[in-house]
Amino acid sequence: MATRQPFNVDQALDRVSHAVEDFPKAALFELYDEGFHDPFQQLVACIISIRTRDETMLPVARQLLGTAPTPAAMAALPIAKIDEQIVRSSFHAQKAANISAIAKLVDQNYDGALPCDFEFLVSLPGVGPKCANLVLGIACGQPAIGVDIHVHRVTNRWGYVRTTSPESTMEALKLVLPQAYWVTINRLLVPFGKHICLGPRPLCSTCPVFDMCERRGVVSSL
């Protein structure tokens, strides 16, 4: 067996970027490219995405944000109407209530402009560090690391970090990941984790990072 090479994050992410070119984009980046640039729009989409597959979340988010693209428009909708439009997402009733509450707060207290501030975002109902950082990175242009299950799994599998939760992975990556990649890593590792570095049985035989990967936690692969 060939000797494993030292892990180089620049090389790894460059290889991954080529490997995922033909796969669907990570959902929030896809919506941004479609014109949903506003931080409020990105936050609503991220809330809808929680425990919901991208294939479901994308049309649901497009429908709701097409109906109510601003906090004022969203605040004017009855919660039941929001719920009706996002009913295909998991925990839709609670998400509808949270989205309505956030829209009313932003419309009434912040002149319709969602503040690009981490502590404010995580104080909102239903918003955790992942969504806060994705909004900051994608819509606000701030250096922020959005860690979902794919970023958590892949970076630990590589041996780049050694953590036990997405939250601890976020903190660990802040210490080792060059800031230039803080937003990019989610854009790249979501499709990479969905299509190549799979959870149960990763496609190691076709992985562009195989020669550098520690394969931590891998029991079997294809």
Side-chain angles (χ1 to χ4, degrees):
M1 181 180 292
T3 303
R4 182 171 59 83
Q5 300 299 311
F7 186 82
N8 181 303
V9 73
D10 299 293
Q11 291 182 15
L13 293 180
D14 180 64
R15 294 179 191 179
V16 168
S17 70
H18 294 291
V20 302
E21 284 178 348
D22 295 330
F23 296 130
K25 297 175 184 176
L28 293 186
F29 292 89
E30 173 69 24
L31 288 172
Y32 185 88
D33 289 346
E34 292 176 6
F36 296 99
H37 298 160
D38 187 81
F40 174 74
Q41 296 173 346
Q42 286 283 314
L43 182 62
V44 169
C46 195
I47 291 171
I48 295 171
S49 76
I50 296 170
R51 300 291 181 87
T52 302
R53 292 181 178 275
D54 287 353
E55 295 79 6
T56 299
M57 169 273 197
L58 280 166
V60 167
R62 291 181 186 120
Q63 178 177 328
L64 178 61
L65 292 172
T67 301
T70 66
M74 192 73 73
L77 291 180
I79 293 177
K81 180 65 174 179
I82 299 174
D83 186 37
E84 176 185 308
Q85 296 208 26
I86 67 170
V87 70
R88 288 184 290 158
S89 68
S90 301
F91 311 111
H92 53 87
Q94 186 59 59
K95 289 176 181 178
N98 291 341
I99 290 169
S100 178
I102 292 169
K104 290 174 181 175
L105 174 68
V106 174
D107 179 47
Q108 295 169 7
N109 294 2
Y110 296 93
D111 296 322
L114 181 76
C116 287
D117 177 80
F118 180 83
E119 295 303 329
F120 173 79
L121 291 173
V122 295
S123 74
L124 298 173
V127 179
K130 180 193 77 171
C131 281
N133 277 346
L134 285 171
V135 170
L136 293 175
I138 299 171
C140 299
Q142 296 184 16
I145 306 173
V147 177
D148 68 350
I149 190 61
H150 300 293
V151 175
H152 170 62
R153 182 180 67 249
V154 173
T155 53
N156 274 274
R157 183 170 284 166
W158 283 346
Y160 189 52
V161 296
R162 295 176 181 271
T163 60
T164 57
S165 69
E167 290 76 18
S168 56
T169 294
M170 180 183 73
E171 296 302 324
L173 286 173
K174 287 180 182 179
L175 300 177
V176 297
L177 183 67
Q179 195 172 95
Y181 297 132
W182 281 20
V183 178
T184 303
I185 196 165
N186 187 277
R187 178 176 64 82
L188 295 178
L189 294 194
V190 168
F192 183 69
K194 289 178 67 174
H195 298 282
I196 298 176
C197 195
L198 308 174
R201 298 185 69 189
L203 307 182
C204 293
S205 60
T206 59
C207 176
V209 192
F210 181 78
D211 62 332
M212 292 189 284
C213 181
E214 289 187 12
R215 303 180 73 223
R216 293 183 65 234
V218 174
V219 177
S220 64
S221 63
L222 298 174

